[in-house]
Amino acid sequence: MSAWGKIFTAIRGGVNEAAESVADSQSMRILDQEIRDAEQSLRQARSDLAGIMASNKSMARRIEENRAKETKDTDSARAAIAAGRTDLAQGLAQRIATIRGELQRDQAELDQLLPRQQQMLRTIQDTEARITQMKREVENVKANESLLKAQSALAHSQSGINTRLGSAVDSLERIKKKQEATAGRIAAGAELAALENGNDLDRQLREAGIGGSSQSADDILAQLMSPAPSDPLALPQTKKID
């Protein structure tokens, strides 16, 4: 692949990454909005379920009351028949028939509503669990995204620190080399000055054991205590003639 082709490929890759980043960001916003919409629908469903449950409870109470009325009217009708009051028993029988019709209608409606109530309750519970799980996953994704951004910033900062430290180390090495060079020049200057003054030659003679070397006090005392050597070349002294 040519250099231009690689450049265009890199540009396309960068554009794709930017587009994916924008899409991901929009996806998170859309998901947040969908979660809010789902929560709003869930609140409405809870309200509807509460209404259905209240209606079912009211119907169940009405059924119990009508059953109690049916029992009471049945007992009264039997008492009227026993007392020979067929007219009263007839009226009670008509009322019992009406009550039984209402009971049959209400019971049939309640039998249809109770399964719907249970199904709606399960649906709401499942939706609550799904929303909770989804919110947890979204929070985890957001937390991971923040963590990755922090780690990326830290890595970038660390890279800059390493670069600056590397520059500082290089500068330190250059300073050390300059100091060593300066110390070498100073030592060389001192050696040249010693050569000009003749001191270096005297030092070299002393190191070779040539020339006047200083004696210690012990050496001098040993010389004083030893007998003076006779000089065979010395002439005897002559007497002075008056």
Side-chain angles (χ1 to χ4, degrees):
M1 182 182 292
S2 64
W4 284 109
K6 293 180 180 178
I7 292 174
F8 288 141
T9 301
I11 292 174
R12 286 198 302 270
V15 171
N16 290 334
E17 289 179 358
E20 290 177 357
S21 178
V22 172
D24 291 341
S25 177
Q26 293 299 324
S27 297
M28 292 301 296
R29 292 191 181 96
I30 292 172
L31 184 57
D32 287 339
Q33 184 60 45
E34 289 178 348
I35 290 175
R36 287 192 292 270
D37 293 342
E39 289 178 331
Q40 178 62 32
S41 299
L42 184 61
R43 285 191 291 269
Q44 184 62 44
R46 287 200 196 99
S47 178
D48 294 341
L49 177 60
I52 292 174
M53 294 176 67
S55 178
N56 290 343
K57 287 182 179 180
S58 177
M59 189 176 299
R61 284 195 300 270
R62 187 166 65 247
I63 290 173
E64 292 298 326
E65 290 173 357
N66 283 334
R67 285 176 178 172
K69 289 179 181 179
E70 180 187 3
T71 300
K72 182 179 178 181
D73 287 349
T74 300
D75 292 339
S76 298
R78 287 173 180 168
I81 293 172
R85 296 295 305 269
T86 308
D87 55 334
L88 294 178
Q90 183 68 30
L92 290 170
Q94 184 63 40
R95 192 164 67 180
I96 291 171
T98 302
I99 292 174
R100 287 181 178 179
E102 292 179 358
L103 281 171
Q104 186 178 2
R105 184 177 61 254
D106 290 343
Q107 188 64 53
E109 186 176 355
L110 184 61
D111 291 341
Q112 292 179 354
L113 290 177
L114 285 177
R116 292 175 56 188
Q117 174 182 316
Q118 294 300 322
Q119 181 180 2
M120 193 171 183
L121 180 60
R122 288 193 299 269
T123 301
I124 289 176
Q125 291 173 343
D126 293 341
T127 303
E128 287 178 344
R130 290 179 61 188
I131 290 176
T132 301
Q133 180 64 26
M134 183 61 68
K135 291 174 68 175
R136 186 180 299 112
E137 292 180 3
V138 169
E139 292 300 324
N140 289 337
V141 169
K142 290 180 179 180
N144 289 336
E145 184 68 18
S146 299
L147 179 60
L148 290 175
K149 287 181 179 179
Q151 290 177 340
S152 177
L154 181 60
H156 180 74
S157 175
Q158 186 67 33
S159 176
I161 292 173
N162 292 336
T163 301
R164 290 192 293 271
L165 286 177
S167 300
V169 171
D170 293 340
S171 300
L172 182 60
E173 291 298 327
R174 287 195 298 271
I175 292 172
K176 288 181 179 180
K177 290 180 180 179
K178 288 181 180 179
Q179 290 178 347
E180 292 175 356
T182 301
R185 287 195 297 271
I186 293 173
E191 291 180 359
L192 290 174
L195 289 174
E196 292 175 356
N197 296 331
N199 294 335
D200 188 73
L201 180 60
D202 294 337
R203 179 181 59 79
Q204 293 180 9
L205 288 173
R206 286 194 300 272
E207 291 177 354
I210 303 174
S213 59
S214 60
Q215 293 181 337
S216 65
D218 293 337
D219 294 337
I220 296 173
L221 180 60
Q223 291 176 0
L224 293 175
M225 294 178 64
S226 62
S230 60
D231 189 356
L233 298 179
L235 297 174
Q237 293 183 357
T238 60
K239 294 181 181 180
K240 184 178 181 183
I241 301 175
D242 294 338

